[in-house]
Amino acid sequence: TNPRFGSSISHPPELEAGPGSDSGDGNTFKSKDGKVTLLAYAHFLQKDDGDTLESRWKDELAKRGETVTYKKKGETWFVVSGVEKDGTEYYRKFATEKGNWATFLITYPHADHEKYDAWVSKIEKSFVPFLKGEGYDRLEE
């Protein structure tokens, strides 16, 4: 759970948490062998700079280019996944609410996708980008 921004994600015990960011916006989780990395973080949209769900969607698709094998966008979220040219599989989910965003990105060797695809499914189902309650650092606009 991110206590600053109020997002939550579950991960397999094989992924160990790093020290977390100094700003409290997220954390990195890695497997002991370094093959799997999960990044989970949240922050504010910079709306004055044109930072929106749509701009993030377009940026993600442009960054990933022809490596995208799956993409889907809803009213307040998107998912982009695929396999990089170096054989790294990725899955990103990005969500917005009012002036805030939360995301996670998991990467792993495509050669081991049969093992790690199940992890992605469980992680995705556990992701709560905006926990209910007060006291979180959020914009209400």
Side-chain angles (χ1 to χ4, degrees), residues 13-65:
E14 292 88 347
L15 297 179
E16 297 177 350
S21 70
D22 291 340
S23 67
D25 64 350
N27 207 340
T28 301
F29 306 83
K30 290 190 174 202
S31 60
K32 287 183 183 178
D33 62 10
K35 289 183 176 183
V36 182
T37 301
L38 171 64
L39 305 171
Y41 45 103
H43 219 287
F44 310 116
L45 287 168
Q46 302 299 312
K47 289 185 175 184
D48 291 344
D49 296 330
D51 189 15
T52 64
L53 178 72
E54 187 66 25
S55 70
R56 294 287 185 118
W57 166 252
K58 288 178 181 177
D59 288 349
E60 188 73 20
L61 292 176
K63 175 184 173 184
R64 301 296 182 179

Side-chain angles (χ1 to χ4, degrees), residues 9-132:
I9 196 165
S10 295
H11 60 83
E14 292 88 347
L15 297 179
E16 297 177 350
S21 70
D22 291 340
S23 67
D25 64 350
N27 207 340
T28 301
F29 306 83
K30 290 190 174 202
S31 60
K32 287 183 183 178
D33 62 10
K35 289 183 176 183
V36 182
T37 301
L38 171 64
L39 305 171
Y41 45 103
H43 219 287
F44 310 116
L45 287 168
Q46 302 299 312
K47 289 185 175 184
D48 291 344
D49 296 330
D51 189 15
T52 64
L53 178 72
E54 187 66 25
S55 70
R56 294 287 185 118
W57 166 252
K58 288 178 181 177
D59 288 349
E60 188 73 20
L61 292 176
K63 175 184 173 184
R64 301 296 182 179
E66 63 188 39
T67 69
V68 174
T69 58
Y70 176 81
K71 61 184 179 180
K72 187 166 184 173
K73 183 172 165 266
E75 203 170 301
T76 60
W77 58 271
F78 69 76
V79 169
V80 175
S81 66
V83 181
E84 296 287 351
K85 291 180 179 162
D86 69 358
T88 301
E89 190 152 344
Y90 60 88
Y91 182 98
R92 174 178 303 279
K93 184 159 190 179
F94 185 91
T96 62
E97 181 178 277
K98 298 178 182 173
N100 313 283
W101 60 262
T103 189
F104 75 87
L105 170 67
I106 185 167
T107 60
Y108 52 94
H110 178 64
D112 299 329
H113 75 93
E114 289 181 11
K115 174 180 180 179
Y116 298 124
D117 286 352
W119 288 20
V120 172
S121 180
K122 288 179 182 179
I123 290 167
E124 197 280 331
K125 287 177 183 163
S126 77
F127 182 53
V128 180
F130 305 104
L131 295 168
K132 301 211 183 301

